[in-house]
Amino acid sequence: PSIQVTKDQLERIKKIVPESPESKRERFVNKYKLKKEDAETLSSNLKLAEIFEAIIKESDINITAKILVRDLLSVLNYDQLEIENVNLNLENLKYLSKMLAENKITENTSKKILIELVKKDFSVKEYIKKHDLEIKSDKSELETICKQVIKENPQAIKDYEAGEEKALNFLMGKVMAKTRGTANPDEVKKIMKNLL
């Protein structure tokens, strides 16, 4: 028999049925101006999409998408975990996104924190403070470290002077290691070039 469906019934059904991944993807691209690939990845998993939308109310959209799509998913994949089985504190993810957006931590630091967050819950704010992970931009402090690295690596200096650009990257890597990845890379590069 034919069934009559009223407008009221349709509206009630729309409220009950979750948004389709395709519709969500379109909305993410149009509303948040996300890249299609990021929107596709975020919309393909309901929990991931929910986390994204909860965080961006107080965070940078593109930074949040990058943290979730590139970093979090690669950590989960490496540990062979599903996002549904991991208890992630949204406040921690918001704070991580905020610190990255404000250039107060490096992407490398953010990834390391995510690796730990997947294993257990802790306060990201306190962790950053306790381990002194905020980006170091103090020029005099960075200059001292750069001079020390230059003094310790005479061969790299010779290579750089001979025109090998890779030597500069090597020296920068040494500075980043001494600062545990907390030095501002742009600042380090500028200081290194001036010193060399």
Side-chain angles (χ1 to χ4, degrees):
S2 62
I3 300 169
Q4 295 294 319
V5 181
T6 66
K7 273 191 174 182
D8 284 350
Q9 286 172 318
L10 274 175
E11 288 306 311
R12 270 183 283 150
I13 291 167
K14 279 182 188 175
K15 287 175 186 173
I16 297 166
V17 176
E19 183 181 20
S20 73
E22 294 78 19
S23 171
K24 201 179 289 289
R25 184 184 63 233
E26 293 286 313
R27 186 167 58 80
F28 283 1
V29 169
N30 297 327
K31 185 177 178 181
Y32 302 126
K33 308 296 180 223
L34 286 180
K35 292 178 191 167
K36 282 186 179 178
E37 309 82 57
D38 289 349
E40 177 87 44
T41 304
L42 287 166
S43 63
S44 66
N45 182 290
L46 184 59
K47 186 172 180 183
L48 191 64
E50 285 172 351
I51 289 171
F52 171 72
E53 293 211 86
I55 295 173
I56 58 167
K57 290 173 185 168
E58 300 169 37
S59 306
D60 180 274
I61 291 168
N62 291 313
I63 296 280
T64 301
K66 190 162 54 172
I67 286 173
L68 296 178
V69 171
R70 192 187 65 198
D71 301 338
L72 178 62
L73 289 182
S74 68
V75 170
L76 291 172
N77 188 41
Y78 182 80
D79 290 338
Q80 297 181 330
L81 294 168
E82 297 293 328
I83 195 164
E84 290 80 11
N85 303 328
V86 178
N87 187 22
L88 291 165
N89 183 317
L90 292 183
E91 291 309 310
N92 277 329
L93 292 174
K94 280 180 199 172
Y95 190 75
L96 198 60
S97 179
K98 178 178 177 277
M99 292 295 278
L100 202 51
E102 292 174 2
N103 262 342
K104 290 186 177 173
I105 59 170
T106 63
E107 287 188 14
N108 195 35
T109 298
S110 171
K111 283 178 204 166
K112 285 178 181 173
I113 292 171
L114 269 176
I115 288 167
E116 296 305 316
L117 271 181
V118 165
K119 295 175 191 169
K120 65 176 190 289
D121 189 32
F122 55 86
S123 166
V124 169
K125 188 175 186 176
E126 286 173 24
Y127 186 87
I128 290 170
K129 194 175 180 180
K130 181 183 174 185
H131 297 280
D132 191 27
L133 295 174
E134 278 200 42
I135 284 181
K136 309 256 184 306
S137 293
D138 181 331
K139 285 185 182 177
S140 61
E141 185 186 348
L142 287 178
E143 195 168 311
T144 303
I145 295 167
C146 286
K147 283 177 181 174
Q148 191 181 349
V149 166
I150 287 170
K151 191 177 177 183
E152 291 168 358
N153 298 279
Q155 186 56 51
I157 306 308
K158 285 178 189 172
D159 293 343
Y160 180 75
E161 287 168 350
E164 283 191 42
E165 199 64 31
K166 284 189 287 185
L168 178 63
N169 294 335
F170 171 81
L171 293 167
M172 284 181 64
K174 291 288 183 185
V175 173
M176 296 309 279
K178 280 186 182 289
T179 61
R180 296 184 329 278
T182 60
N184 182 327
D186 295 332
E187 200 61 52
V188 171
K189 192 170 192 175
K190 201 188 295 179
I191 291 169
M192 270 294 181
K193 284 194 167 183
N194 286 340
L195 291 173
L196 295 171

